[in-house]
Amino acid sequence: MTLVAGVDSSTQSCKVVVRDAQTGALVRQGRAKHPEGTEVHPHHWWDALQAAIADAGGLDDVEAISVGGQQHGMVVLDAEGEVIREALLWNDTRSAQAAVDLITELGDGDVVAGAQAWASAIGSVPVASLTVTKLRWLRDAEPENAARVAAVALPHDWLTWKLAGGMAEVGFDGLVTDRSDASGTGYWSPFTEDYRTDLLERALGSVPRLPRVLAANEAGPVAPAFALKPVLGPGAGDNAAAAIALGLLPGDVAVSLGTSGVVSAISSAPIADGTGLVTGFADATGSYLPLAVTLNASRVLDAACRMLGVDHPGLSQLALSAPAGADGLVHIPYLEGERTPNKPMSTGALHGMRLANTTPAHVARAAVEGMLCSLADGIDAMRAVGVPVERVFLIGGGAQSEAVRHIIPSVMGLDVLVPTPGEYVADGAARQAAWVLSGSDTPPAWSASSGAEVMTGEPTPFVREQYAAARELTVDRPA
Ligand SMILES: Nc1ncnc2c1ncn2[C@@H]1O[C@H](COP(=O)(O)OP(=O)(O)O)[C@@H](O)[C@H]1O
Ligand SMILES: O=C(CO)[C@@H](O)[C@H](O)COP(=O)(O)O
């Protein structure tokens, strides 16, 4: 049996799956935790990857490996290839003002024109999540660090490079990425399939080395002297890797409930949404992957568990015992600020509180519904830019919530397919690794999306209506 491995270096943890390259059958897997926080030194990801590989029984018998990972994180390297400072993650909002500055500058003072100009240039309107805004923040807040930047990578690029032996073995020439993750930087264009170094220079003030963008099935750097045996694949951003695992086709939409809430879809043409609600990223195969991404998904459920003093099954039991709409109790889930809509300083809120609806069951129901309503808004945003929504898949850690699985069809007004719980990002990376190994033009014919449970429910549009009426009623956190 030929074995391949896939990695998901996600916000909260690192997961490794080992699969049969021919059939896709799961052979073994492992995982390890990442530290908390929105600023993390990349060596923690490397340590977690080693631990997850060991937990998965090692790589000695594995022929190829690809790394999928959280997108956008700013990994800055000096001329010796050393990490200059902790990486700012996708959910770090300190670069919100930098995003406003970049938009205003490109529009010559006109924010609307600037937003459209960015969307036309790179497919997305900058928000604090995108790497380009983090580099502008670095230039303004830490000029001494900005001056030392010799190369910029993303989490998955950096881990791939480390697996290849890093500076000592492959140098900066061996720094590689793929088009899905490159398209989330804010300085790579899905229209020209190339870096926009002019926009990078605008942000950082210089143009450091950038990872070479590999083709979908192209092998990464090889260091003959280095001990790593497997062939390295290009890897991918996490949502693009999940799309590979699910075998998404046009009309399919994935809703991922990880730390981020993500609505993603395959599109045959690039998207340029000047409203910024949909980001026009590329996928990892040659198509496009428009996304609507929130900062608040599974951790909203974690927070509700904490507030109510229950575990996840307990939260589900409570939520399912309350009526749809929680008798008017509305939870706005912007606990970490928000990205879609772009409200980086916002806090969450509970609206419509009355004596009759302030029970643990109502609070639990409102938390689940609020999180799902924010993602239903993402589905609307997809439709508004012409992305068809025919089949919806539910994945990510939050998909393990029974309440989420039962309530989502009613909130979205759609049937929802729930594939067997699994590590879809790591699985997609493994499928890519098998593709690279095969040398074929198309990925191997294994897909993890078979065996999905179809969840149905009576639509409850009033839940979304009461959410929409309360959505703007939030206060900002103290500066
Ligand atoms: N049974 C469950 N019900 C609801 N949420 C769960 C359950 N099990 C795990 N989770 C949540 O899944 C999240 C992690 O999901 P994951 O997709 O791995 O996140 P990320 O990709 O951001 O690291 C955690 O916030 C955790 O609380
Ligand atoms: O910012 C995005 C996509 O634009 C997020 O999807 C991150 O890629 C993090 O994903 P999780 O670790 O929450 O799954």
Side-chain angles (χ1 to χ4, degrees):
M1 192 193 305
T2 304
L3 297 182
V4 291
V7 175
D8 176 13
S9 177
S10 74
T11 311
Q12 296 188 42
S13 58
C14 184
K15 305 125 189 184
V16 173
V17 299
V18 176
R19 288 186 175 266
D20 179 337
Q22 267 73 47
T23 65
L26 181 64
V27 176
R28 49 185 207 260
Q29 58 186 321
R31 63 192 297 140
K33 275 192 76 59
H34 284 159
E36 294 281 326
T38 62
E39 185 179 39
V40 172
H41 196 289
H43 73 66
H44 292 297
W45 303 330
W46 179 244
D47 292 347
L49 176 58
Q50 301 308 310
I53 287 172
D55 192 37
L59 294 178
D60 287 353
D61 52 354
V62 166
E63 302 287 329
I65 180 170
S66 281
V67 182
Q70 55 172 314
Q71 296 197 252
H72 317 303
M74 178 191 74
V75 181
V76 279
L77 306 175
D78 68 14
E80 277 71 53
E82 296 297 329
V83 174
I84 293 173
R85 74 177 317 288
E86 289 77 7
L88 300 188
L89 305 195
W90 64 277
N91 54 353
D92 189 289
T93 54
R94 80 188 69 180
S95 56
Q97 185 56 45
V100 174
D101 293 347
L102 287 169
I103 292 168
T104 312
E105 287 168 20
L106 205 61
D108 287 330
D110 179 338
V111 176
V112 175
Q116 190 55 56
W118 276 96
S120 301
I122 52 113
S124 305
V125 179
V127 287
S129 292
L130 300 202
T131 326
V132 71
T133 70
K134 299 178 191 302
L135 290 169
R136 167 56 71 88
W137 174 87
L138 190 74
R139 188 201 78 170
D140 292 346
E142 298 181 355
E144 67 295 346
N145 280 337
R148 292 173 57 210
V149 177
V152 184
L154 299 170
H156 112 253
D157 315 341
W158 184 79
L159 285 171
T160 304
W161 189 61
K162 289 284 284 180
L163 282 171
M167 199 66 175
E169 298 294 337
V170 293
F172 284 146
D173 286 344
L175 202 50
V176 297
T177 190
D178 86 302
R179 67 198 284 282
S180 70
D181 228 7
S183 68
T185 58
Y187 43 84
W188 186 89
S189 168
F191 308 104
T192 61
E193 299 272 335
D194 212 348
Y195 284 114
R196 286 289 306 259
T197 50
D198 57 324
L199 298 176
L200 173 60
E201 184 164 20
R202 179 184 279 275
L204 181 64
S206 64
V207 181
R209 290 289 296 265
L210 296 171
R212 188 163 56 87
V213 181
L214 296 179
N217 58 352
E218 187 178 346
V222 183
F226 191 57
L228 186 82
K229 178 181 155 203
V231 171
L232 280 170
D238 50 4
N239 299 295
I244 295 178
L246 292 167
L248 291 189
L249 299 168
D252 292 343
V253 169
V255 173
S256 168
L257 303 179
T259 312
S260 60
V262 182
V263 176
S264 58
I266 294 289
S267 166
S268 52
I271 300 288
D273 178 15
T275 72
L277 291 177
V278 174
T279 53
F281 297 163
D283 83 344
T285 71
S287 290
Y288 302 91
L289 194 77
L291 305 183
V293 185
T294 73
L295 297 185
N296 299 283
S298 63
R299 280 176 170 163
V300 175
L301 306 180
D302 296 347
C305 286
R306 268 200 312 279
M307 282 198 297
L308 295 168
V310 295
D311 58 9
H312 281 293
L315 185 75
S316 279
Q317 206 176 11
L318 284 170
L320 291 169
S321 71
D327 289 321
L329 192 67
V330 180
H331 180 133
I332 308 301
Y334 304 159
L335 308 188
E336 291 270 81
E338 194 41 272
R339 160 175 171 184
T340 314
N342 186 22
K343 298 179 85 170
M345 295 302 286
S346 185
T347 58
L350 258 188
H351 290 293
M353 291 171 75
R354 291 179 289 114
L355 284 179
N357 64 17
T358 40
T359 71
H362 288 87
V363 171
R365 180 96 194 187
V368 173
E369 289 180 344
M371 180 198 61
L372 292 175
C373 282
S374 76
L375 288 159
D377 287 349
I379 292 204
D380 287 353
M382 286 286 186
R383 288 195 171 113
V385 295
V387 173
V389 179
E390 286 155 19
R391 290 197 306 173
V392 176
F393 292 87
L394 177 65
I395 57 169
Q400 294 173 67
S401 157
E402 196 190 343
V404 165
R405 289 198 305 272
H406 282 91
I407 295 171
I408 190 171
S410 300
V411 170
M412 304 257 174
L414 290 161
D415 288 354
V416 174
L417 297 157
V418 186
T420 317
E423 297 303 340
Y424 287 91
V425 175
D427 289 343
R431 190 172 180 215
Q432 183 197 63
W435 187 9
V436 171
L437 198 60
S438 73
S440 162
D441 288 344
T442 50
W446 42 281
S447 160
S449 68
S450 55
E453 186 182 0
V454 185
M455 304 304 294
T456 59
E458 232 6 79
T460 52
F462 65 92
V463 173
R464 294 205 54 207
E465 284 157 20
Q466 67 182 23
Y467 177 85
R471 192 172 40 204
E472 300 302 325
L473 306 175
T474 55
V475 292
D476 283 356
R477 66 174 185 244

